[in-house]
Amino acid sequence: MKARSSAPTAESVWREYGKMLDYNAAIRLDDTVRVNENFFVGRQWEGVESNGLPTPVFNFLKRVTLFTVASITSERIKLRATPVDAASGSGRLIRAADVVNAEFDALFEHNSIPSLVQEFMRNAAVDGDAATYTYWDGDAPAPGGRRGAIRTEILANTRVGFGNTADRRVQSQPYILIKKRELTEKLRERAKALGCREWEDIRPDTDEQYADPYKETGDKTTVILRLWKEGSTGTVWAFECCRGIVIRPAWDLGLRLYPVTWLCWDYVQDSYHGQAMLTGLIPNQIYINKLFAMTMISLMTTAYPKVVYDRTRVPKWDNGIGRAIGVNGGDVSGVARILDPAQVSPQIAQFIELTQEMTQSNLGATDVALGDARPDNTSAIIALQRAAATPNELTRQNLYRSIEELGEIYLDFMAGYYGVRAVQIDPAQEVPGEVLAFAASALPMNAEGLMAVPYDFAGLRDIPMLLKLEAGASAYWSEIASAQTLDNLLAAGHIGIVEYLERIPDEYVTDREGLIKAVKAREGAAGRA
């Protein structure tokens, strides 16, 4: 199907790209991101003429930023789909939910979503915004000898442009621009393969967003991918071009949602770009660095004793360090005397410590949370940990919502691209127990007791799903407390062994899934007996 007659052109997309750059310049986005990244990695005297003076860096910002990100994210995240009409108990709906949940687990594993989420939140904390882009990799291997897989990557916030700059909601945008820098030779090859007649005219260009010359290699070309929702089809369309040349004409992605997620660390009214956590902390870091620098200068020049001697009696005296000072006559206690060094005010160290402590505490990075203190018992640890996590609870909920939005995008890709694929199901859910016991040997089951059957993923379009993110404990003490609670419930007889095994962390029990199946089989055999 062709796009409407008002489809974008290379010239119109480049004008929209120019508006994106103008907006970023108006809010000083590129400068802010560059400064924040420099401070985060430790280049905190960038552009300052030191003239040989000390330039100390005591980068407490990196520690508190990484702590905050680690306390918000979790390595144990699972996305679970439930049909909206699950109360009907329909086997078709339950099977669809099981298939989608299994695909979610596989996609989270193949795309390393827990690691991706940590980078996602790191970008939000340092740059102000975080973004992901999901696409279909047609060359990736898939089960059953098929080709094609869903891939997700992180995008820099400076390379994403919204059509409505006053709205941070992704799905309500009139269009979205995604900027890429590709090697010119590779781009020419790709353009030629896509049927671009002007592929030989593609030239390297400069990146208007690069403030650091060393980042620009000169053999790259800026490529803009434009996404928009076509009203006539109700789907997302795409158009790709570089300056003046169409790389790929408009094509239908077959999706109903933009394959982009977006998260602001702190919202800014009437702007899709947010404010980074680091932006408000940089003045504190500069203050500490300057105090250390001035203290070092003072110590280097006045901390060592100096010798004052009578030059009329001793022609020359220089034994280094503080250097001797010669005077012509005067009372220098005979021949020479020693001047005591100046004292540095203890208030300097106090203010450095107070600034750092208050900055960390306001972000929830208290001494207990950072491991600099030792509470007396587990209850105190849990209470202090929860209190420290409170300032970041809103950010954590925003992250969870972003991951759920990513799940909705995955669901959209499954329905649009998977087609009919083989999925693994549990025969016990499809076949009555008596029939399964009689014909189990004839069923094509694998070593885990699952059976491969074809499933048409296009049918997911007609099954509304509710997505819920399950995030496990991100801290060691929360994990121990949860395990102790389960132990107590099992010992008191309030839960069974299967319920216990289903909730205990994987690393606590070897082959937990296999043990659960063995217990269920034993209980089933005992029930039939």
Side-chain angles (χ1 to χ4, degrees), residues 34-61:
R34 180 172 59 87
V35 170
N36 288 7
E37 290 286 345
N38 282 339
F39 268 80
F40 180 76
V41 300
R43 294 200 297 265
Q44 299 179 355
W45 292 87
E46 191 92 358
V48 177
E49 295 291 339
S50 63
N51 296 321
L53 297 177
T55 55
V57 173
F58 293 86
N59 193 3
F60 77 97
L61 288 187

Side-chain angles (χ1 to χ4, degrees), residues 174-377:
Y175 65 85
I176 296 176
L177 301 181
I178 297 176
K179 171 186 174 181
K180 298 179 289 182
R181 292 285 292 169
E182 296 191 28
L183 292 173
T184 304
E185 289 301 322
K186 293 291 184 181
L187 179 60
R188 288 172 179 165
E189 294 176 4
R190 188 165 68 86
K192 182 180 180 181
L194 290 172
C196 174
R197 297 180 180 179
E198 302 172 289
W199 64 271
E200 293 181 308
D201 297 331
I202 298 175
R203 296 286 181 267
D205 56 18
T206 58
D207 190 344
E208 297 87 346
Q209 291 181 291
Y210 274 137
D212 299 319
Y214 69 88
K215 293 181 180 179
E216 182 55 62
T217 59
D219 57 352
K220 294 181 180 179
T221 303
T222 299
V223 180
I224 303 298
L225 176 67
R226 187 187 195 268
L227 305 174
W228 76 98
K229 293 181 179 179
E230 185 65 59
S232 59
T233 62
T235 56
V236 177
W237 285 62
F239 177 88
E240 193 175 27
C241 69
C242 57
R243 187 186 294 269
I245 299 176
V246 177
I247 304 297
R248 185 175 182 183
W251 77 97
D252 190 352
L253 292 179
L255 304 174
R256 296 180 180 178
L257 301 175
Y258 286 124
V260 174
T261 64
W262 185 262
L263 173 69
C264 302
W265 185 268
D266 276 334
Y267 297 137
V268 175
Q269 292 296 331
D270 296 326
S271 176
Y272 75 98
H273 285 296
Q275 176 161 308
M277 181 186 78
L278 214 64
T279 300
L281 306 181
I282 286 178
N284 296 7
Q285 181 71 68
I286 293 175
Y287 172 72
I288 288 177
N289 287 349
K290 284 185 175 180
L291 281 183
F292 270 111
M294 290 186 289
T295 304
M296 287 180 176
I297 294 172
S298 176
L299 291 174
M300 290 169 63
T301 56
T302 65
Y304 301 99
K306 293 181 180 294
V307 176
V308 180
Y309 64 95
D310 188 350
R311 190 180 295 169
T312 60
R313 300 183 185 182
V314 180
K316 187 175 182 181
W317 186 336
D318 184 358
N319 56 358
I321 308 298
R323 303 293 184 185
I325 302 174
V327 297
N328 294 322
D331 182 14
V332 288
S333 300
V335 175
R337 65 184 295 263
I338 297 176
L339 299 179
D340 293 331
Q343 299 295 320
V344 177
S345 173
Q347 285 186 325
I348 296 176
Q350 293 172 3
F351 270 95
I352 289 175
E353 183 177 355
L354 180 62
T355 301
Q356 181 172 343
E357 180 182 342
M358 292 187 66
T359 302
Q360 294 179 164
S361 297
N362 288 337
L363 293 171
T366 60
D367 287 341
V368 172
L370 288 170
D372 295 334
R374 185 175 181 180
D376 296 330
N377 54 64

Side-chain angles (χ1 to χ4, degrees), residues 108-127:
F108 273 43
E109 178 68 24
H110 295 158
N111 288 293
S112 302
I113 294 300
S115 299
L116 209 70
V117 166
Q118 293 173 357
E119 183 182 353
F120 184 75
M121 290 307 294
R122 180 266 184 204
N123 287 355
V126 177
D127 302 336

